[in-house]
Amino acid sequence: MENKKTVLVIGAGPAGISAAKSLANDNISVTVLEKEDTFGGNINNWAKLFPNFKDAGEVKSSLIQNFVNNQNIKIVYNKKVTELKKHNQKWIANTSDGEVFESDAAILSTGFKVFDAQYKEELGYGIYPNVITSVEFEKMYKNGKILTVQGSVPKKIAFLNCVGSRDEKVGNHYCSRICCIAAVKQAIEFKELYPQSEAFIFYMDIRMAGQFYEELYRKSQEKHGVVYIRGRISETSSTIDKKVQIKAEDTLAATPLRMTVDMLVLMIGVEASKSTTILSKQNNIDGPYGFAKSKDIHTADNYSNENGLFLAGSCKRPLTLTETIADGKSAAISVVEYLKQTK
Amino acid sequence: MNYNPFIIPFTTGAIILFAIIIYKFIAWYRKLDKKQRFYLRKNILTFKSIEAIKESFLEALIHRNIYKKNLLLGYMHMSLAFGWFLLIIFGKIEASLHAQTLFEEPWLAIFFRYFVRDEHKFFMSEIFPPLMDFLLLVILSGVLLAWLKRFSSSLLGMKKTTRHSKFDKIALASLWWIFPLRLLSESSTAALTGNGSFLTGTVGNLMAVLNLQYFEIYFWWAYSICLFAFFVSLPFSRYMHIPTEVVFIFLKKWGATAGEEYSGYTDFQLNACSRCGICIDVCQMNFAANIQNVQSVYFIRDTRYKHLKDETANNCLMCGRCVEACPVGLELTVIRQQLRNKKEIAGKHYYDYTKPQEADKKYDIVYFAGCMTHLTPSIIISMKKIFEEAGINYWFMDENKGTCCGRPMRQQGFIQQSKDLISINQKLINSSGAKTLVTSCPICYKSFKEEYVLDIEIKHHSEFINELIENNKIKIQNSQKSIVYHDPCELGRGSGIYEEPRNILAKVGNLKSSEFEKQNSLCCGGSLSNAIIELEDQIKIRNHALENLTACNPDILATACPLCKKTFVHGNKAKVMDIAEIIAENISLQNQSSKHKEKNKIKTKIEL
């Protein structure tokens, strides 16, 4: 046990969990620091996962096998890392409650946060109660019902893509990658619950770049009759009966369009989490939009420019869950390589 | 006749100068539009001409406006302009008195000391030498300051000074040397004849020590050649502003304004710019985003020399800070608008697809939220609450099928499109029979006031709410929160509304002041008039403005423009609210009916 190497993993989301497990497997002593009182990160927000509608809880259960009761893994909850610094070849993490953790290497798996839709005031989130976010849709769906604030089944629902992504006005030029397919998934879920209702998806481009995505997109139209409208919603207002009135442009028909729906779901984009931004800035590995920057996107994607500090998951850029889990393992391999070199 | 060949350069230069100026003025006069000519004819024989003389004196000679910016800079301009003016006037009087005719040789006044070498006494002859010496000394002190300004502009209160064209450099160099050479010429003559006074006499004595007085004729030649160079380059350089500014002041006083199209009046304005560069220092593009070569001085210069680039015309927020600062009073933003004019398809109707719905009945008040307000729905909700609380019979004109007021199009130079939109809205507004039009957007407000033909009172919601409070139509409570108010460009500088918003805010909170207020307020950076600015630069301008506005850490940053609100919200610096929202939040409901309570409940966001 004497010469056992230690690694700090910051964030117990899918990337952190998968990295910690792999490291523990290599008989490395891992300390996972999690700011919440539970593990799982953003996976806890999801009910079912694209593209196969697998229950997110099930995926989480299999992910945490050998994680929670692993003798090589120590999980510390409610520890928000405020400072991460290298000192004498050691990585020192200070937490908000004044505790200090030390290790031979550190993995940043601080993940993402969702875009705050209130910034786009014109979409009425926080103003009109029947305008909700995709995360809130998931929570409702978990409880088995999608209901308006009045308690009725929406006869018409609209999903709006690219809220906080690919939007120069909010300063996010990039594509969040997961929202298009999530909208397709949620629209299908909605139609399966309420086949009599109508579902519309407003989009700029439908980006179905993943296995089975395109098939799902097709199915949503052929089997469920989801209607796709190419155009962004420019503004919303409320009718007297609390419905949401949408003004948009149908760019394929080249005409302005108005529509009244019972509920509007904003597919909010992915942004770097606060911890991601703060900790990567401290170590000069901050990339665009507050994400962390890897050493080389092709060949050293889990390395950072700081020796001994590694990156796993969506702290680097928006990733799907599938990619995140794989990236956690990949980060673990890089850490092992590094620890061998430093003996 | 008093003649020496060295007068030839001066005389030739003067003839060329006057010929070109007269030619140019006639050409521009012929390009004036009908309205401008109408005002000219109407007011030329009124007291407005007297006012113009007064203003020409104050601005073109004394440079009152430059004094406001910086004392030394003002003195520099005044000493050169007014000093030289007096030198010419008194020189002419002296020459005429000596010659005992008003029609002496035209160059006599200029080279008087050379030709009148003896001490011939004539009426009041003894007062001229010291007076002329004093004026020369004043001018020379101005030249010295001009040299220093080139060397270090900050000495005269300028952060940046204009970069010059070829003609400017020739004119500037000759201008710098005219007066030192005049001093040397007159002093050398004084050394030989003793006709100098305290300055030329003394310098002459000094020159005599080095026997320089024998170069007398060469100094006079150099002086004359310098005058020639200045005169010939003047019409093509920035110094064309000297004669043009006076004409511009007269036209302005007579009532001319720059219209939508480029006209002769535009030419007068382009040439009246002295390129002093004061507009560079006040431009946020310069000091907040470090964007150069687009400021009004460069825009005017490039337009005048006909090598205007699209970037220069379009990369401008049209915030009007330079208009406020311009010592000449040029209509810089309007001229920019003229030059932006895209060539539209004549006779085409661009908005046939809009199907405006006229008012279904008669109303007291029309409310026009405006496109930008539709992007900030909390302002609309607040306005509805205020209208209802005040018990007003109003028509929300653009609630469902709104049409743009047309101003953003106009600012981009799309005049025909703008006119189409205006005619649609005018019809709608008239259909309501209302006496008052209230809008929440300063851009629409300015448009309604200046570009529409409406027989209706137009109010921005800050004016309207202020009246409601003064007339006790609504009651508000003081939240005790600290508030800083940001003046939107189009409402403040654009429309002169400064007091009403402050009046309201002082009643609902603790109104604090900030560094850039009222006429000097900053643009939020989100201006619709600039369609080409890079996002990063826009953010720099926004953050700089936010930093200054929130320096005292207010609870609320208040504004009266939906666009400013949207822009500042993204800056994440403070809670940003429109005046209407602040009032709606602090309204004491007099008729608190169950209907109102229910309404408030709806607004509470659902917890999921």
Side-chain angles (χ1 to χ4, degrees), chain B residues 399-416:
Chain B
E399 180 163 27
N400 292 320
K401 290 188 173 177
T403 306
C404 167
C405 68
R407 186 161 171 81
M409 278 292 189
R410 182 170 293 248
Q411 288 188 318
Q412 291 297 336
F414 295 102
I415 305 298
Q416 181 57 45

Side-chain angles (χ1 to χ4, degrees), chain A residues 119 121-122 125-129 132 136 140 149 168-171 173 234-236 242 245 247 256 258, chain B residues 353 371 374-379 381 398-401 535 565-566 569-570 572 602-603 605-606 608:
Chain A
Y119 279 119
E121 188 181 338
E122 64 268 36
Y125 180 71
I127 298 168
Y128 309 123
I132 65 166
E136 286 162 349
M140 284 186 178
V149 72
E168 181 160 323
K169 288 273 170 197
V170 302
H173 292 86
S234 60
E235 58 186 79
T236 57
K242 295 171 209 167
Q245 208 173 64
K247 282 187 201 167
R258 289 196 319 148
Chain B
Y353 60 86
C371 310
H374 278 282
L375 300 182
T376 49
S378 24
I379 299 178
I381 291 173
D398 60 339
E399 180 163 27
N400 292 320
K401 290 188 173 177
L535 184 72
K565 185 195 167 191
K566 263 194 93 62
V569 162
H570 291 303
N572 258 332
I602 301 169
K603 252 177 276 156
K605 210 183 81 59
I606 43 158
L608 288 156

Side-chain angles (χ1 to χ4, degrees), chain A residues 129-190:
Chain A
N130 283 320
V131 179
I132 65 166
T133 66
S134 44
V135 176
E136 286 162 349
F137 181 96
E138 287 292 326
K139 283 184 191 160
M140 284 186 178
Y141 186 73
K142 236 181 191 172
N143 297 328
K145 282 177 198 157
I146 306 290
L147 296 179
T148 63
V149 72
Q150 305 94 301
S152 57
V153 170
K155 289 198 179 67
K156 260 186 179 180
I157 192 166
F159 297 85
L160 171 63
N161 268 327
C162 298
V163 177
S165 317
R166 302 178 70 196
D167 186 342
E168 181 160 323
K169 288 273 170 197
V170 302
N172 292 343
H173 292 86
Y174 59 90
C175 165
S176 289
R177 297 184 68 229
I178 58 170
C179 334
C180 279
I181 181 66
V184 173
K185 181 198 76 119
Q186 292 187 343
I188 293 175
E189 287 169 345
F190 178 78

